[in-house]
């Protein structure tokens, strides 16, 4: 299971079925990422539809490989893990992250991984482990939560 940074708040999920389904989807997308499956990014878009639209607002000319790296970062994978799962070097991942930082105009003083997960102060629900959901500060949280409920995730 991924470890998520300290800045995330934990709230018990009220709907056990919703919580279990969300955790199942999170585990599925994590396994696809770890196996470097070609289906990873497509499934990521299905589970987190607002993320890609938000990142594309910031930089509409992203390549799929760049968006896939953004997805890895958003899910909380560390540079070393991304390198391992994508069969690239740590240096390559660091270089690609630097290029993303430049394209997105993220100041050097900001932690890029945290910035990516915050995406400028918006809200999004991200499952973590049994009994809990995480609220990440992203702008479409209530919309995402209702969509999540409507889809019976």
């Amino acid at each position: 299971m991924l470890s998520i940074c300290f800045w995330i708040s934990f709230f018990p999920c009220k709907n056990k079925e919703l919580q279990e389904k969300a955790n199942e989807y999170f585990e599925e997308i994590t396994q696809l990422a770890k196996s470097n499956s070609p289906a990873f990014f497509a499934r990521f878009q299905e589970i987190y539809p607002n993320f890609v639209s938000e990142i594309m607002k910031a930089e509409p000319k992203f390549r799929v490989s760049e968006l896939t790296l953004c997805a890895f970062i958003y899910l909380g994978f560390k540079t070393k893990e991304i390198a391992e799962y994508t069969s690239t070097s740590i240096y390559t991942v660091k270089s690609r992250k630097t290029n993303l930082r430049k394209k997105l105009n993220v100041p050097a003083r900001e932690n890029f991984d945290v910035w990516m997960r915050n995406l400028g102060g918006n809200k999004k629900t991200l499952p973590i482990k049994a009994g809990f959901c995480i609220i990440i500060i992203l702008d479409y949280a209530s919309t995402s939560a209702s969509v999540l409920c409507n889809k019976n995730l």
Side-chain angles (χ1 to χ4, degrees):
M1 183 66 54
L2 293 174
S3 59
I4 305 296
C5 294
F6 63 90
W7 52 271
I8 297 175
S9 302
F10 290 81
F11 296 96
C13 292
K14 294 183 181 186
N15 181 332
K16 186 143 177 94
E17 185 178 319
L18 173 64
Q19 166 199 320
E20 288 172 2
K21 209 58 158 151
N23 288 333
E24 181 182 312
Y25 284 130
F26 185 70
E27 189 61 35
E28 174 191 358
I29 196 73
T30 300
Q31 289 307 314
L32 287 171
K34 287 180 177 182
S35 66
N36 199 25
S37 170
F40 165 70
F41 187 68
R43 189 66 176 132
F44 178 86
Q45 285 181 288
E46 291 172 8
I47 296 172
Y48 303 103
N50 294 324
F51 176 77
V52 175
S53 63
E54 287 296 314
I55 201 77
M56 292 300 284
K57 285 179 191 175
E59 176 51 63
K61 295 180 183 178
F62 269 141
R63 297 183 312 249
V64 174
S65 61
E66 293 170 319
L67 292 170
T68 301
L69 178 57
C70 291
F72 273 105
I73 296 166
Y74 180 77
L75 290 172
F77 288 106
K78 302 294 178 205
T79 300
K80 184 177 178 181
E81 293 170 318
I82 297 168
E84 178 183 336
Y85 304 147
T86 59
S87 301
T88 57
S89 71
I90 292 172
Y91 176 80
T92 299
V93 175
K94 285 181 180 181
S95 177
R96 289 178 182 165
K97 286 172 83 171
T98 299
N99 292 339
L100 285 176
R101 176 188 287 275
K102 289 177 185 176
K103 280 188 173 186
L104 293 167
N105 296 314
V106 178
R109 68 183 175 279
E110 288 193 45
N111 180 310
F112 183 64
D113 293 0
V114 173
W115 184 93
M116 184 66 69
R117 283 183 236 133
N118 282 332
L119 213 62
N122 304 316
K123 284 202 175 186
K124 175 83 174 150
T125 303
L126 178 68
I128 186 164
K129 57 185 178 183
F132 292 92
C133 287
I134 302 174
I135 304 300
I136 295 182
I137 318 276
L138 294 170
D139 152 80
Y140 39 82
S142 51
T143 307
S144 296
S146 61
V147 168
L148 198 63
C149 293
N150 290 338
K151 288 184 179 179
N152 292 320
L153 300 176

